[in-house]
Amino acid sequence: MIGEVLQIAWEGVSRNKLRSLLTMLGVIIGVAAVIIMVAVSAGTEATIADRIETLGTNLLFVSQAFSAAGPGARQPGGSSNDLTYDDALAIRSSVKNITGVLVERNSTLAVKAGNVSSDGVTVVGTTIDYPEIRGLTVAQGRFLTQKDLDNTAKVAVLGYSLAQDLFGEENPVGQKITVGTVKLYVMGVMEEKGVVANTDYDARMYVPISLMFEKFTPAMFARFAGNMVNTITVQVENQEVMDGVITQIEILLAKRHDATMEDLPFTVRTQQEIIDTQAATTESFRSLLAWVAAVSLVVGGIGIMNIMLVSVTERTREIGIRQATGATPGDIRWQFLTEALMLSLTGGLLGVVGGVGGSWLFNQLGSMRTVLVPNSILLAFGSAAAVGIFFGFYPANKAAQLDPIEALRHE
Amino acid sequence: MTADAVTDTPETIIEVNEMTKVYKMGDVQVVALDGISLHIRAGEFVAIMGPSGSGKSTLMNILGCLDRPTKGSYCLAGQDISRMNRSQLAHIRGKKIGFIFQSYNLLPQATALQNVLLPMVYRRNGRISQKERQTLARSTLAAVGLTDREKHRPKEMSGGQQQRMAIARALINDPALILADEPTGNLDSRSGKEIMEILHSLHERGRTIVMITHDAENAGHAQRVIHLRDGRVAQESVQSTAIPVEG
Ligand SMILES: Nc1ncnc2c1ncn2[C@@H]1O[C@H](COP(=O)(O)OP(=O)(O)OP(=O)(O)O)[C@@H](O)[C@H]1O
Ligand SMILES: [Mg+2]
């Protein structure tokens, strides 16, 4: 019986090949879209994770917690909530199992070289182990030295694209630039790095942290901003001691800022947490895409329903003949449901082929990294089947309810 | 397939009592059958005649379990049909009834063999293998003179050939009752004769046949002619010309 049901359904589907194909197109596109979109966002996620890992390994990031009081607010005890350069020095001298500490303080300023100028450049005040800890290399010249820091030297190291913007083909090393109102000498240029976790490493420049404190802190803030920093990055010996180091840092900071461990005004985050945060944004993007694709699947299902309704009308007489020769309403229902399922499953299968092929092609063309997510294939194919049953049921039922005599009289 | 079915006291195959069929069309009611009673025994060949609109097809459709009476009862081979649901009626149609229509009602895309096999697809009891079915269908086609036509589709055949294909389809499940609603109505007289000869020989071999016809010559093949008028039996006549089957 099953063989016969399948054969009859196949005859129904193959009778109108072009129409069946067009009907399936909705499902094909829907399924392929689900698979490709999920693969693209999974690829993006993987890329983010890879990139973040290239920014050094075993890192901890200490930064100001977002609190109602905000930065600069005073604790009742009178101590400051600000993360300071002195905190970094304290961490370096008293926390065990760490291999490096660096600070960052950012400022956005206009930069000029000759008559070329660039507005809104991120100027990063930092310390000498920055390239080593963040996995960056110097392409030309040198990075900042301890002497630069001690002497508050008026020097800068440029990011790759910033150097190109300002100097074009010229060698920037040894040239003079104006940052804000201060004239600096370019000591080096970093190698190309790209955008990682929303930061364009090539468009920034680096200056000694001491110079940042002295020259690039607006006078009116200097009084209480003091030697405040944005982040302290701590490199830990290995993954195993990570938790211990976090606790040490938290205890130290709590003591230095008269806070309890519970309402510490700072957060200490691992690299993995940053990856997870980034991934969370693409994950919500991914489910949005999946929903969009799911809608197209439903549209495909409506297409199937539409064609099945047309088919039931066209084949009313056939239905009558089958009923007259012994087909029960159940037989007729199965026949049309099988047909709808055949359309949606064939469409689903072609969609899987298209989706997997499309993802592969995106990868090959190098335009987009894609990672196939097996669950998305199952989900998409399963949805196609569900769509077939759901949208096939109404037309199949309609066919089953036909009165044999009226069906036989139908022209 | 043999005359064995006919005994000295043939069983009743059709028992219709005070049957009424009313069609409702909005406020208008059409009484197509008006309290009709019928009694047909196994092995009989009965012709139904009557003017257009007298309710012949309506009666036939109910006898063929394609429709249900509004009132009254209908027993087919001892089973009360009037209280059955759609699925049960479908089972009865497949198992006990072979229907021959004026307009053949063949599946246009299916070959002769596929058309003849159709009732077997929906058969629930006594299913036989695909191979046995094909053999049976071929011999049934051969019995109606369509030996070399099994791959032909209805469009590639004459009206007479199509009606013979339909007869083969009606016979394949070995039904207890063969119903024919103006089987020669769409045919020229020569093809019509061929069809009547087939029905005649089926009757000779013990089949029960009820046939609607407008043609007195066709009715001459039947043992009994029932005349309908306004949904009632107007006149009944037993024919001497017909080959007597019962004692
Ligand atoms: N589906 C229907 N709806 C409403 N009225 C119907 C329907 N079918 C038949 N009738 C009416 O019932 C009456 C009997 O119709 P029926 O088809 O049984 O006549 P008939 O004897 O077969 O006629 P003919 O010789 O023309 O085939 C007619 O008045 C017809 O109009
Ligand atoms: Mg009629």
Side-chain angles (χ1 to χ4, degrees), chain B residues 52-53 55-58 102 181-182 212 214:
Chain B
S52 186
K56 303 182 297 293
S57 294
T58 304
Q102 178 176 352
D181 190 345
E182 294 187 47
I212 295 175
H214 280 290

Side-chain angles (χ1 to χ4, degrees), chain B residues 47-50 56 182-185 187-189 192-193 196 211-222 225 239:
Chain B
I48 296 176
M49 298 189 80
K56 303 182 297 293
E182 294 187 47
T184 63
L187 300 174
D188 60 275
S189 61
K193 260 203 184 92
M196 284 319 299
M211 174 184 73
I212 295 175
T213 184
H214 280 290
D215 186 319
E217 200 179 318
N218 286 349
H221 286 275
V225 181
Q239 312 218 16

Side-chain angles (χ1 to χ4, degrees), chain A residues 1 4-5 7-8 11 15 317-332 335 399-405 408-409, chain B residues 23 61 66-67 86-87 90-91 93-94 97 99 101 103 105-109 114-115 118-124 127 130 133 169 173:
Chain A
M1 195 72 190
E4 277 156 352
V5 167
Q7 196 194 332
I8 293 170
E11 278 163 13
R15 200 174 301 160
R317 183 115 184 212
E318 175 194 324
I319 294 166
I321 293 171
R322 291 182 184 280
Q323 287 177 321
T325 51
T328 61
D331 290 331
I332 301 293
Q335 178 189 332
Q401 299 301 320
L402 283 175
D403 179 67
I405 296 170
L408 281 170
R409 275 206 204 113
Chain B
Y23 291 109
N61 290 337
L66 287 165
D67 207 353
R86 287 164 51 96
S87 292
H91 292 313
R93 286 198 294 270
I97 291 161
F99 222 117
F101 301 91
S103 50
N105 277 331
L106 298 163
L107 294 180
Q109 307 83 17
Q114 288 170 329
N115 265 300
L118 190 59
M120 288 237 145
V121 172
Y122 299 112
R123 187 164 153 169
R124 259 137 265 258
R127 286 173 67 85
Q130 195 71 35
R133 279 190 232 174
R169 182 181 65 188
N173 269 348

